[in-house]
Amino acid sequence: MARPAKIAPGDPAPPATLVIFGGAGDLSRRLLTPALVNLTRDGLIGDDLDILVVSRGPDEGIQDQLAEHLDLGDKATKAAWATRRKRIVYFQGEFDDPATYSGLADRLKDAGNIAFYLATAASYFGPVSEALAKVGLLRETDGFRRVVVEKPFGHDLKTARALNKTLLGVMEESQIFRIDHFLGKETVQNIMVARFGNAFLEAVWNNRYIDHVQITAAETVDVGTRGAFYDATGALRDMVPNHLFQILAMVGMEPPNSFGAEAIRNEKAKLLDAVRIPTAGEAKRDAVRGRYTGGTIAGTKVTPYLKAADIAKGSHTETYAALKLMIDSWRWAGVPFYLRTGKAMAARDTEIVIQFKPIALAMFRNADISKIPPNKLIIQIQPNEGIDLHFNAKKPGPVVDTGQVMMDFRYKDAFDLGHRTGYETLLYDVLIGDQALFQRADMVERGWAIVQPILRQWAKDGDPEDYKAGSQGPAGADALMERDGREWHPVD
Ligand code: BG6
């Protein structure tokens, strides 16, 4: 069929039906519905978007359930919800029952454009896609057919490859939207604008000026009620090949030829391709894992991981991971990238620290070069989104002495951030068919390939190192940095 006319970003999305499998669940209530209401308020989707919630149980008042997390304080949002609410329909069906799909095919026979959002357990991603294909619902004869896949995308390289194979067996890559919700965060998207919209930054963005890069995603939350999922997953799988590698790709990629989806994804894929896959020895030496014990965070006592609900007896699962990676490219040769993530840490702090090289020569009288700290650029992804630049200035007075000072930009001071969930851009992009912020099959597989040697090593290694809840992480992570003569930027 002829492809739908290309929609320019900023135009309202075309009429469509959004079918959400698992649409009565937590993701739908907490994030998708508020995002859809925000898009409606902003005029980016109209009342020609129908929402079909597919769920197993009987309808217990889906409209009210989906309103649970809405903040209807202002008139415009209230009006947007009134529009949205009218277009929500419930469809009861088991995900593994063929009758669900024949029923859907019947219901959707005149729907035109359809996006299927799989907000289900990962084990359903393949089977639901195959079942949709079987009843002809993925054939783009009278409109687009897109499938949005949540994470986790596979459990390792083998399962990710198998899932790609299943999906690509029943649809084209252009129909698959693999979500990485970090890419919906404004500050993550801003990495590209910061780099390629500012001549002074891009000029020093290379191994001549940069000593190393740190990418951190620290959380204060513990495993909470997610024990069963988390214990089978661990910090590395949960955060690194997806979220942290997407940030790594944004920081490290070459300038794309355009802001077009394929141009951006090609550059990201090239960067991931250049990340050196650790040897067994490097996996042992350059990756550290930890597991939180008891402690206190913001006055609240944290239960040790091993005593949390649904954690297997004798579990070896890590709640913290740190690793050093090298990128074999002209731009980054010799610049280590240190990545870390952990639960139950001292603060919620997601950031990128670009540490520049020390100055070559301390020419100020009596100045000790080691006392002039190198410049640091910190891209604060959350909370308190912004960019900080640490630089040196002369302290006032007749004696030449230097001190480190900071210029800081906070998003909220410059722009109206509004209340956004991070899913607005992603949902809008699905509806207008822009895949720039979605993972492509090759990128997902490369991500897994890079961490695979570490997973292999850790499977042999027994217990992770303990760290106290509310701390900076395990001592081994500090040792990883100290060995290289460096230190982590504090999580605070
Ligand atoms: C999810 C992980 O993908 O990202 C969670 O499964 C983690 O374990 C979450 O807490 C972090 O996302 P955010 O947006 O809160 O930083």
Side-chain angles (χ1 to χ4, degrees):
M1 70 141 218
R3 293 229 151 252
K6 205 149 172 54
I7 314 273
D11 285 353
T17 301
L18 178 64
V19 180
I20 311 178
F21 284 85
D26 191 54
L27 179 78
S28 196
R29 295 181 201 205
R30 260 185 330 108
L31 297 164
L32 302 183
T33 308
L36 289 165
V37 171
N38 290 342
L39 287 170
T40 311
R41 187 197 53 217
D42 296 346
L44 292 171
I45 53 176
D47 62 0
D48 48 10
L49 179 82
D50 289 314
I51 295 170
L52 189 65
V53 170
V54 183
S55 197
R56 294 185 178 116
D59 182 4
E60 288 170 357
I62 189 66
Q63 283 85 357
D64 291 338
Q65 287 172 341
L66 294 183
E68 261 171 27
H69 292 271
L70 293 176
D71 177 359
L72 297 175
D74 67 287
K75 245 167 100 184
T77 311
K78 230 188 223 155
W81 172 236
T83 305
R84 241 356 354 112
R85 184 185 171 101
K86 282 192 280 210
R87 319 289 319 188
I88 299 174
V89 174
Y90 196 86
F91 185 97
Q92 187 181 356
E94 292 288 340
F95 303 154
D96 45 14
D97 180 0
T100 301
Y101 301 89
S102 46
L104 277 175
D106 193 39
R107 175 122 205 183
L108 293 166
K109 61 180 180 306
D110 302 316
N113 296 322
I114 310 174
F116 297 98
Y117 197 119
L118 310 189
T120 65
S123 55
Y124 285 114
F125 297 161
V128 170
S129 303
E130 288 184 310
L132 288 171
K134 213 164 171 184
V135 295
L137 275 171
L138 297 185
R139 257 198 317 268
E140 296 193 300
T141 42
D142 55 350
F144 66 67
R145 297 288 186 271
R146 297 175 184 147
V147 175
V148 185
V149 186
E150 267 292 336
K151 78 173 264 263
F153 199 96
H155 188 68
D156 52 20
L157 180 58
K158 197 165 149 223
T159 47
R161 272 192 187 141
L163 180 54
N164 272 331
K165 196 161 172 232
T166 304
L167 299 186
L168 289 166
V170 294
M171 65 191 121
E172 302 292 327
E173 179 65 44
S174 61
Q175 294 175 268
I176 309 173
F177 289 69
R178 298 175 190 80
I179 288 247
D180 187 308
H181 82 280
F182 263 48
L183 293 176
K185 295 183 192 291
E186 285 292 339
T187 17
V188 173
Q189 292 171 52
N190 190 43
I191 299 170
M192 276 204 288
V193 177
R195 285 190 56 196
F196 305 129
N198 294 296
F200 79 95
L201 270 188
E202 190 50 23
V204 294
W205 210 260
N206 57 52
N207 55 8
R208 279 186 64 197
Y209 297 101
I210 293 178
D211 176 75
H212 74 276
V213 177
Q214 299 180 19
I215 300 176
T216 298
E219 298 182 279
T220 48
V221 290
D222 58 11
V223 64
T225 54
R226 297 170 77 215
F229 161 77
Y230 198 84
D231 203 40
T233 305
L236 186 77
R237 285 187 168 94
D238 190 36
M239 297 290 289
V240 176
N242 34 59
H243 306 324
L244 296 196
F245 280 7
Q246 282 300 314
I247 296 180
L248 173 75
M250 293 271 207
V251 171
M253 73 190 210
E254 293 303 313
N257 287 351
S258 73
F259 252 44
E262 278 327 285
I264 293 174
R265 300 205 299 180
N266 286 343
E267 292 307 334
K268 282 191 184 173
K270 258 166 64 187
L271 187 280
L272 293 174
D273 266 350
V275 175
R276 196 183 301 162
I277 295 190
T279 60
E282 285 163 345
K284 200 171 169 61
R285 192 193 60 197
D286 294 341
V288 172
R289 66 200 171 122
R291 178 175 64 203
Y292 65 84
T293 58
T296 308
I297 301 177
T300 306
K301 261 187 105 154
V302 176
T303 312
Y305 179 75
L306 285 180
K307 299 226 167 87
D310 300 323
I311 305 304
K313 265 212 161 54
S315 158
H316 295 308
T317 301
E318 79 286 354
T319 62
Y320 174 102
L323 55 150
K324 170 182 170 183
L325 293 172
M326 300 303 290
I327 300 177
D328 290 328
S329 72
W330 192 263
R331 186 189 286 265
W332 295 118
V335 179
F337 282 69
Y338 300 95
L339 277 52
R340 67 181 158 159
T341 184
K343 296 234 180 266
M345 291 184 66
R348 179 166 189 247
D349 188 4
T350 305
E351 66 180 15
I352 303 159
V353 177
I354 310 287
Q355 163 109 34
F356 289 89
K357 291 193 169 166
I359 50 166
L361 171 74
M363 75 231 276
F364 321 114
R365 273 166 295 159
N366 307 323
D368 174 356
I369 190 164
S370 64
K371 298 232 171 70
I372 301 183
N375 296 137
K376 252 185 207 177
L377 181 82
I378 302 175
I379 303 180
Q380 184 68 35
I381 292 178
Q382 61 186 17
N384 209 8
E385 294 82 346
I387 299 182
D388 304 324
L389 179 64
H390 295 241
F391 64 106
N392 298 301
K394 180 183 172 300
K395 288 186 184 165
V399 177
V400 179
D401 196 6
T402 61
Q404 194 165 52
V405 292
M406 186 168 85
M407 284 201 283
D408 69 334
F409 150 70
R410 301 266 72 86
Y411 252 77
K412 62 175 169 20
D413 298 337
F415 304 111
D416 175 15
L417 284 177
H419 288 293
R420 283 176 215 288
T421 66
Y423 271 76
E424 288 80 0
T425 318
L426 300 172
L427 283 168
Y428 177 66
D429 285 354
V430 168
L431 295 170
I432 65 165
D434 184 343
Q435 291 183 300
L437 296 178
F438 296 85
Q439 299 230 60
R440 209 168 56 188
D442 54 337
M443 291 156 69
V444 176
E445 291 181 16
R446 182 67 188 180
W448 282 115
I450 297 166
V451 298
Q452 203 61 52
I454 302 171
L455 290 173
R456 215 173 292 133
Q457 183 60 41
W458 288 357
K460 288 191 270 187
D461 269 357
D463 268 336
E465 192 184 328
D466 283 345
Y467 67 95
K468 214 166 160 241
S471 73
Q472 294 281 321
D478 294 333
L480 171 75
M481 289 299 242
E482 278 158 21
R483 214 182 54 212
D484 290 354
R486 301 185 171 104
E487 57 182 26
W488 291 108
H489 186 73
V491 166
D492 56 13

